[in-house]
């Protein structure tokens, strides 16, 4: 893959990068000239972009539960779930709420997760759901307190914008593309610091802070990641290429 991507990047007349972070990586690791790279952000499934709250039901595992912390993504090391659990263990009792994890992944890493939950006696707080359709996931976002997505590396970070489109705030990392995806709708943290993540989770419980994040975050994703916006930006790249011959 390293050889294929580098070769493709060198031969391409134009490269579409899904974030400024990816553009920087292409320049740094493959020595690609900046003028060849156009940044065009991704969007997400249209079901998350509906302006009205819909009547999809949350999974049975979450029946009667709301205002939970939420994690969505593969359960693998770079996604930072282990650090989020350590941060959760540091929360004062009044901020310890259910923590819902949507995703599956590496068995060895999942064992580390289970061992850590056992060590901190937190198993009763955590609810794991392997896979759900997007309609149910949209409802899961709508009922959460906020997304905790402290990945150390992403090309973009689609769960971040899915959550912001559903009018919920996010906690995310200060690395790679995460600040670009979250914008003003996110509390940005050091993903290697459980203390930093813990403080952000406490702040997420402040209704004034949360409401400000929701309003700014929704405006941000509509302006930058709505499907028509991203499609138009891709079309402009094609048109520029055609005009340049």
């Amino acid at each position: 893959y390293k050889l294929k991507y580098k070769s493709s990047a060198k031969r391409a007349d134009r490269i579409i990068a899904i974030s400024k972070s990816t553009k920087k990586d292409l320049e740094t690791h493959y020595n690609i000239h900046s003028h060849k790279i156009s940044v065009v952000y991704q969007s997400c499934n249209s079901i998350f972009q509906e302006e009205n709250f819909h009547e999809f039901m949350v999974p049975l595992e979450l029946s009667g539960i709301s205002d939970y912390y939420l994690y969505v993504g593969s359960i693998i090391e770079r996604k930072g779930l282990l650090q989020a659990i350590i941060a959760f263990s540091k929360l004062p009792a009044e901020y310890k709420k259910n923590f819902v994890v949507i995703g599956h992944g590496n068995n060895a890493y999942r064992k580390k997760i289970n061992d850590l939950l056992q060590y901190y006696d937190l198993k009763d707080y955590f609810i794991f759901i392997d896979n759900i359709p997007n309609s149910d996931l949209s409802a899961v976002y709508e009922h959460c307190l906020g997304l905790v997505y402290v990945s150390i590396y992403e090309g973009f970070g689609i769960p971040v914008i899915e959550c912001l489109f559903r009018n919920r705030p996010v906690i995310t990392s200060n690395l790679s593309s995460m600040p670009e995806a979250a914008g003003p709708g996110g509390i940005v943290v050091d993903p290697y610091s459980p203390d930093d993540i813990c403080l952000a989770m406490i702040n997420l419980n402040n209704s004034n802070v949360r409401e400000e994040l929701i309003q700014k975050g929704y405006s941000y994703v509509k302006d930058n990641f709505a499907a028509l916006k991203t499609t138009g930006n891709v079309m402009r790249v094609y048109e520029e290429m055609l005009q340049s011959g």
Side-chain angles (χ1 to χ4, degrees), residues 34-67:
S34 176
H35 72 272
K36 278 182 58 169
I37 307 170
S38 298
V39 175
V40 178
Y41 289 122
Q42 289 183 261
S43 189
C44 61
N45 191 291
S46 60
I47 202 167
F48 300 108
Q49 300 180 52
E50 294 177 7
E51 294 196 0
N52 296 321
F53 284 93
H54 39 63
E55 297 182 0
F56 291 122
M57 301 295 291
V58 297
L60 287 175
E61 297 95 325
L62 304 183
S63 180
I65 299 173
S66 61
D67 289 341

Side-chain angles (χ1 to χ4, degrees), residues 166-235:
R166 298 323 302 154
N167 280 289
R168 287 296 181 270
V170 301
I171 296 170
T172 194
S173 76
N174 59 5
L175 301 178
S176 70
S177 61
M178 299 290 89
E180 290 178 71
I187 301 175
V188 177
V189 300
D190 176 355
Y192 295 105
S193 170
D195 288 338
D196 210 10
I197 301 167
C198 177
L199 181 59
M201 292 171 79
I202 291 171
N203 287 335
L204 207 59
N205 286 270
N206 183 312
S207 59
N208 292 329
V209 171
R210 194 167 65 252
E211 190 58 36
E212 183 177 357
L213 290 169
I214 288 170
Q215 290 180 7
K216 289 182 177 179
Y218 186 67
S219 295
Y220 177 73
V221 290
K222 279 191 70 178
D223 288 344
N224 291 280
F225 309 124
L228 285 176
K229 176 80 172 182
T230 57
T231 303
N233 289 338
V234 172
M235 286 301 297

Side-chain angles (χ1 to χ4, degrees), residues 14-223:
R14 184 73 63 90
I15 299 168
I16 294 177
I18 57 175
S19 65
K20 293 175 184 175
S21 174
T22 297
K23 179 181 178 181
K24 184 179 177 182
D25 286 345
L26 286 164
E27 292 169 352
T28 301
H29 298 296
Y30 293 164
N31 197 28
I32 304 297
H33 291 298
S34 176
H35 72 272
K36 278 182 58 169
I37 307 170
S38 298
V39 175
V40 178
Y41 289 122
Q42 289 183 261
S43 189
C44 61
N45 191 291
S46 60
I47 202 167
F48 300 108
Q49 300 180 52
E50 294 177 7
E51 294 196 0
N52 296 321
F53 284 93
H54 39 63
E55 297 182 0
F56 291 122
M57 301 295 291
V58 297
L60 287 175
E61 297 95 325
L62 304 183
S63 180
I65 299 173
S66 61
D67 289 341
Y68 41 79
Y69 304 105
L70 177 64
Y71 170 94
V72 176
S74 301
I75 303 175
I76 55 178
E77 193 157 0
R78 71 176 169 84
K79 299 282 189 178
L81 183 55
L82 209 64
Q83 299 298 321
I85 292 171
I86 297 171
F88 186 93
S89 74
K90 294 172 173 284
L91 288 171
E94 64 267 32
Y95 298 114
K96 280 190 167 79
K97 302 178 178 182
N98 287 113
F99 196 123
V100 176
V101 178
I102 308 287
H104 61 277
N106 184 293
N107 287 334
Y109 188 68
R110 180 65 184 268
K111 184 179 185 307
K112 286 184 182 179
I113 297 293
N114 290 336
D115 290 346
L116 196 66
L117 292 175
Q118 177 107 22
Y119 177 79
Y120 286 118
D121 194 24
L122 296 175
K123 283 198 169 183
D124 290 343
Y125 289 101
F126 280 73
I127 302 168
F128 288 84
I129 302 173
D130 277 351
N131 257 324
I132 59 175
N134 281 333
S135 56
D136 290 356
L137 179 57
S138 187
V140 170
Y141 281 125
E142 289 169 9
H143 289 86
C144 77
L145 185 68
L147 180 72
V148 183
Y149 193 77
V150 289
S151 181
I152 62 170
Y153 186 86
E154 295 290 337
F156 181 64
I158 287 179
V160 171
I161 67 168
E162 289 174 346
C163 190
L164 294 176
F165 268 120
R166 298 323 302 154
N167 280 289
R168 287 296 181 270
V170 301
I171 296 170
T172 194
S173 76
N174 59 5
L175 301 178
S176 70
S177 61
M178 299 290 89
E180 290 178 71
I187 301 175
V188 177
V189 300
D190 176 355
Y192 295 105
S193 170
D195 288 338
D196 210 10
I197 301 167
C198 177
L199 181 59
M201 292 171 79
I202 291 171
N203 287 335
L204 207 59
N205 286 270
N206 183 312
S207 59
N208 292 329
V209 171
R210 194 167 65 252
E211 190 58 36
E212 183 177 357
L213 290 169
I214 288 170
Q215 290 180 7
K216 289 182 177 179
Y218 186 67
S219 295
Y220 177 73
V221 290
K222 279 191 70 178
D223 288 344

